[in-house]
Amino acid sequence: PYGTPGELEKPTAYILVLIDLHKKKKGGEVDAAAAVENMLLTAAEEGVGTCWIGSCNHRKIKGQFRIPHHMKLQAVVAVGFPAEQPLTVEMHSSMKYWKDEHGVLHVPKRKLEDICFINGYAFSRKD
């Protein structure tokens, strides 16, 4: 299926992002998300590819790495070297990714003016 890396495209490392529930029972998700985003931005600046993985078998991963119960696995970050350079394109009717006849991945994104508002929210029927 699309998105499944080939043998030479698999991540070279994974970062497990944990929250110590003894130190922070509430709000740790926000701190973890900020830390992950900073990792992703720094990696991109260095030419390293990443993928923020939130949907995974947390119980299995915690068991494999013997992570204690008071540590919450918030996310996994896959790290490696990108096999392609996706092209960001304006979204029209679909957010579905596609590859063109040259094998270039196209990633639809909304226009900035459709999602950012100054001095108030402007409702759009596109939402």
Side-chain angles (χ1 to χ4, degrees), residues 27-91:
E29 296 83 6
V30 174
D31 295 338
V36 170
E37 187 62 28
N38 284 320
M39 286 185 247
L40 302 182
L41 291 170
T42 301
E45 189 173 307
E46 297 295 327
V48 175
T50 57
C51 182
W52 184 341
I53 304 169
S55 179
C56 56
N57 188 331
H58 290 226
R59 179 176 283 168
K60 182 177 179 181
I61 292 170
K62 285 185 73 173
Q64 283 179 313
F65 291 95
R66 298 185 305 279
I67 297 169
H69 291 291
H70 72 279
M71 300 297 286
K72 178 181 178 183
L73 176 60
Q74 182 63 31
V76 177
V77 178
V79 181
F81 296 96
E84 57 191 347
Q85 296 297 321
L87 179 63
T88 302
V89 295
E90 183 180 334
M91 185 188 89

